[in-house]
Amino acid sequence: MKYEVFKTKKGNYVFGKNLIIVFLLATFIYSCKSNDRGELVGVSAKRKFFSEKPFGTVLVPGGAFTMGKQDEDIAGSLSTPRRTVTVRPFYMDETEITNSEYREFVYWVRDSIIRTKLAIMADEVSDAESSLNKYKFKDSTSNGGVYYKYMMDNYGSLGDVNSPTEGRFLNWDEDLIFDTKEFPDAYYTEVMDSMYLQTTETFDGKRILDASKINYRYYTFDNEEAAKHKGKDRSKYIKPHDLNVYPDTTVWVKDFNYSYNDPMHQDYFSHQAYNDYPVVGVNWPQANAFCHWRTKKKNDWISKKKKPGPRQPHFRLPSEAEWEFAARGGYEYAKYPWGGPYTFSDRGCFLANFKPQRGDYALDGALYTVEGKSYNPNGYGLYNMAGNVSEWTNTAYNPTSYYMESTMNPNVEDKKNNRKVIRGGSWKDVAYFLEVSTRDFEYGDTARSYIGFRTVQDYLGKPVK
């Protein structure tokens, strides 16, 4: 292309035709890159954000409501005075977390431990024909990219120097073998043997998984403490958590002396017949560990997409106020999740799983727990917000907390207080504990056969009505 510039008789320079076209094209390209006309428009997002409803949850719209007892407090506890509070919108599980859902968590922890052991031993074994070669750590260059390689070379991990894997990627592509008849070689057998109870603790030649080894490690950041001591070393507020996550199945025996509950002890968590029943025997720290894992599971999946979207907010236990707001189902002065004032319908059918008529447990259709989707849901689509199992909340129990809490998203998160609020009543409770405003508590390190939980996730932005 020829660029021409010539001078007129008056001494003015004029651009040739070809050069003018190039100039206009450059101006157009620049305007496409910066079309804000010099105005303040903010940082543009790569894509518009839409709050994604997690599977199995319902949107609780949030708002103001009258919290606390709105009729006679039969127990005379005086710990639930009426007051108006406001909660933000959130997603909530439509049922309590079931055995099947919690078992997925337990299996993931178990498998990650086994894969870690296999990968570490694969590094130590020089046998080229070993079955462990399939389970080696993934190559840093091909799978992690330049950043992964840089971090491993300079720090030895991706940020957790205490990790047994040293931050390296586990190989989840190869299936694990659990049938002892199909174990490929002695190396694999040795790793699997380390996960079972010793032969002196078993009988009939059966090898049983050692539940005490199903330990989950994760970290949290103490925002509250960090806010109080701004400017100090952030590492002081990183809290490690390392706990066993297998539910205590013996609660069915320990909770009830002189009662034959052995079938529940043996089969309730492990047998597929109880897949859709609420998990029990889970203490408060274990419920929080499940919330962390569920968040990790979702965000790990997002990060592996070709075009990862924004991370999802954390799953967590509901606050006491959030739980009560959700349990009311949109009824302002409800006594029970279905409104009230009775625990049975106009046809004489009970509306929840509890202990009616002085101990006739089976009168409501269930002796112990029932499936998560039993009876009718409340106005928000939530099942069993009364009865079945009581539910852990994120709130520490204090008899006077209603008098000192904020009226906006109220919550008492006292880490030194081991008494945690439980709500909703259970299959073994009388009707009083089914009331949406009744407070009760249990010690956080205690597991019970009548306490389960459900999770919530914050809704970001203003919900569309």
Side-chain angles (χ1 to χ4, degrees):
M1 180 180 292
K2 186 177 180 181
Y3 300 96
E4 300 175 298
V5 182
F6 57 91
K7 196 174 183 180
T8 64
K9 292 181 180 180
K10 294 183 179 181
N12 297 325
Y13 287 92
V14 178
F15 293 94
K17 181 179 180 180
N18 292 339
L19 190 58
I20 291 176
I21 293 175
V22 173
F23 176 76
L24 292 174
L25 182 61
T27 303
F28 174 75
I29 293 174
Y30 177 80
S31 65
C32 289
K33 289 184 178 180
S34 179
N35 58 1
D36 57 13
R37 300 174 62 86
E39 302 293 346
L40 180 66
V41 296
V43 178
S44 60
K46 293 181 179 179
R47 65 184 71 178
K48 192 169 183 179
F49 174 76
F50 294 97
S51 187
E52 179 183 353
K53 185 175 82 71
F55 178 75
T57 67
V58 298
L59 177 61
V60 180
F65 75 107
T66 304
M67 185 177 178
K69 288 289 182 186
Q70 286 147 36
D71 51 10
E72 182 183 5
D73 184 2
I74 299 175
S77 63
L78 303 178
S79 64
T80 55
R82 285 182 296 175
R83 63 198 186 116
T84 300
V85 300
T86 305
V87 296
R88 54 178 290 124
F90 55 93
Y91 293 111
M92 188 177 218
D93 290 321
E94 58 184 348
T95 71
E96 300 109 344
I97 295 300
T98 64
N99 282 319
S100 176
E101 291 168 333
Y102 194 84
R103 206 182 303 140
E104 181 184 351
F105 173 41
V106 171
Y107 285 175
W108 184 92
V109 175
R110 176 202 65 185
D111 292 356
S112 65
I113 295 172
I114 294 174
R115 291 182 188 278
T116 300
K117 287 175 174 283
L118 289 171
I120 292 174
M121 181 171 278
D123 284 347
E124 300 172 350
V125 173
S126 58
D127 187 351
E129 297 182 0
S130 168
S131 65
L132 303 184
N133 291 325
K134 298 189 300 183
Y135 302 101
K136 281 187 173 181
F137 290 112
K138 288 192 172 183
D139 178 66
S140 61
T141 304
S142 60
N143 292 282
V146 176
Y147 174 76
Y148 181 88
K149 186 176 186 304
Y150 173 86
M151 292 295 290
M152 295 302 297
D153 291 344
N154 289 273
Y155 298 99
S157 77
L158 291 180
D160 180 12
V161 295
N162 298 315
S163 169
T165 66
E166 296 179 338
R168 290 175 290 177
F169 293 147
L170 292 175
N171 183 6
W172 287 85
D173 298 332
E174 293 291 335
D175 293 333
L176 295 175
I177 302 170
F178 291 96
D179 188 346
T180 56
K181 297 177 183 178
E182 298 180 4
F183 284 178
D185 56 28
Y187 298 119
Y188 189 92
T189 304
E190 181 180 345
V191 170
M192 296 301 292
D193 180 59
S194 68
M195 296 296 296
Y196 289 101
L197 291 171
Q198 296 298 310
T199 54
T200 55
E201 300 179 77
T202 59
F203 54 91
D204 291 340
K206 296 179 180 179
R207 298 305 302 275
I208 302 173
L209 186 72
D210 187 352
S212 67
K213 295 184 178 179
I214 311 300
N215 298 319
Y216 182 62
R217 176 184 294 173
Y218 71 102
Y219 297 85
T220 56
F221 188 78
D222 195 333
N223 293 306
E224 185 176 346
E225 284 298 314
K228 292 178 181 178
H229 306 91
K230 186 178 179 182
K232 289 192 175 183
D233 185 2
R234 280 178 56 90
S235 63
K236 296 183 181 297
Y237 309 115
I238 299 175
K239 307 298 182 183
H241 305 270
D242 198 343
L243 69 158
N244 184 267
V245 296
Y246 201 90
D248 184 359
T249 60
T250 65
V251 292
W252 291 103
V253 177
K254 293 188 297 185
D255 286 347
F256 305 99
N257 294 325
Y258 312 112
S259 177
Y260 177 67
N261 292 318
D262 285 20
M264 302 297 283
H265 166 229
Q266 296 294 335
D267 299 319
Y268 184 76
F269 178 66
S270 59
H271 200 285
Q272 63 181 13
Y274 294 101
N275 272 355
D276 297 327
Y277 287 63
V279 66
V280 297
V282 174
N283 61 31
W284 192 81
Q286 290 173 326
N288 279 282
F290 176 89
C291 293
H292 180 275
W293 168 79
R294 187 176 181 183
T295 305
K296 170 181 168 59
K297 183 176 188 288
K298 181 63 178 181
N299 285 327
D300 283 353
W301 178 82
I302 291 174
S303 66
K304 291 177 182 177
K305 297 173 66 176
K306 289 185 178 180
K307 293 183 178 180
R311 64 169 181 80
Q312 291 296 301
H314 294 292
F315 288 96
R316 57 181 175 81
L317 295 177
S319 68
E320 183 179 16
E322 288 173 332
W323 193 97
E324 184 171 329
F325 181 86
R328 291 181 180 276
Y331 294 108
E332 176 61 26
Y333 300 105
K335 185 174 184 178
Y336 300 107
W338 50 85
Y342 305 111
T343 57
F344 49 85
S345 68
D346 55 359
R347 297 184 179 183
C349 298
F350 283 101
L351 299 171
N353 177 20
F354 68 113
K355 178 184 176 181
Q357 297 188 6
R358 298 186 179 182
D360 189 350
Y361 289 93
L363 187 62
D364 55 18
L367 180 59
Y368 298 104
T369 57
V370 291
E371 294 92 335
K373 288 188 177 181
S374 299
Y375 303 98
N376 294 323
N378 73 355
Y380 291 140
L382 301 167
Y383 291 85
N384 289 311
M385 292 299 283
N388 210 22
V389 292
S390 297
E391 299 175 12
W392 290 114
T393 71
N394 192 41
T395 303
Y397 179 80
N398 187 316
T400 61
S401 60
Y402 276 34
Y403 297 94
M404 58 185 179
E405 284 179 331
S406 169
T407 56
M408 179 183 66
N409 298 313
N411 191 35
V412 175
E413 194 175 352
D414 184 358
K415 297 178 177 61
K416 296 180 180 179
N417 185 354
N418 195 32
R419 296 190 300 176
K420 307 300 180 183
V421 174
I422 58 173
R423 286 299 202 108
S426 72
W427 58 269
K428 69 153 191 69
D429 290 320
V430 296
Y432 169 76
F433 291 98
L434 271 61
E435 296 180 15
V436 293
S437 56
T438 297
R439 306 180 77 200
D440 198 2
F441 73 89
E442 184 55 85
Y443 289 92
D445 56 1
T446 302
R448 295 294 187 186
S449 61
Y450 46 84
I451 299 179
F453 69 101
R454 70 180 81 207
T455 68
V456 299
Q457 184 189 74
D458 291 319
Y459 182 97
L460 302 185
K462 182 179 178 182
V464 179
K465 295 184 179 181

